[in-house]
Amino acid sequence: MVNKFAVLDSISKPGGESNEDLIGITDSCVWLLDGATGLTNSNVLPGNSDAGWFVQAISRNMVKNLQEEIPTKLVLENVINSVIKEFETEATQENIEDIHKPSASFTIARIIEDSVEIGNLGDCRLIYKKCKGQVNAFGTSRVTELDRSVVQKIVDLRNQKDINNDELWLELKDILYRNRALKNTDEGYWILDLTLRSIPHFQQASISVKGTEAILLVSDGLYRLVDTYHLYDDESLLKAAMKFGLHELYDRLRNVEKLDHACRMYPRLIPQVDASGLLVSLG
């Protein structure tokens, strides 16, 4: 019986000064975290990035808490409770508003006996190929819809007037804060944060170990190749990753972004963001 993953390829590259994505790997479990960049330049934790601190704390505690007999939702509860304690010890401010506390999208694949449990919170994606050739994608989030509303606002503003990036931020500030305030609410989207509110909404499914050839976990930065630049769909992205490797996909991603650094051809808030992917087989 297969009881471990074989890593075929991985990549995690920053879009700016720091990388707020993180890949986690054990024999029987792999995951990818994509930290939500803060809305201000003021950190509430030590280090360059609160989101970076958060994904590292989550991943570190995942390794400590993963036990085969414990359901994934309970693992996540234990992880979050541990990270909350670390946050309370390390936070550099008191009475921090929830909107300024870190959060992260999360996707996971975990071997349990003869099945692979896949799970998701937020806008990461997991794409898997069955041995018979069928390709499926897993993971949805309303944050994708909210991001599209921001992009549409950008398009509308640029159609109305000539606007630079600083002016654009001022125009978008209210909608960005409003969207972030919807974190882990019934009206908004579900994501890992310093509460347990999202755990009941953790998306889960089970696929057969025997019938699965490969699994690809991607952050939204790498998934821009699909949903922003439309160079691939889910199936062709996975096939390209298996044939050419994730570094070649990354190079293609950055080449497109370099050619459209002004974000005119492909409207987006930030020219390039962190991009991560992990490709595994069951071997």
Side-chain angles (χ1 to χ4, degrees), residues 5-10 213-215 241-242 245-246 278-282:
F5 289 108
V7 176
L8 303 178
D9 202 0
S10 67
E213 179 179 347
I215 300 174
M242 295 175 69
L246 292 172
L278 174 64
L279 180 65
V280 298
S281 66
L282 295 153

Side-chain angles (χ1 to χ4, degrees), residues 63-75:
V63 174
K64 291 179 182 177
N65 283 277
L66 275 170
Q67 297 180 42
E68 186 173 342
E69 67 275 12
I70 299 179
T72 303
K73 281 188 178 181
L74 183 54
V75 170

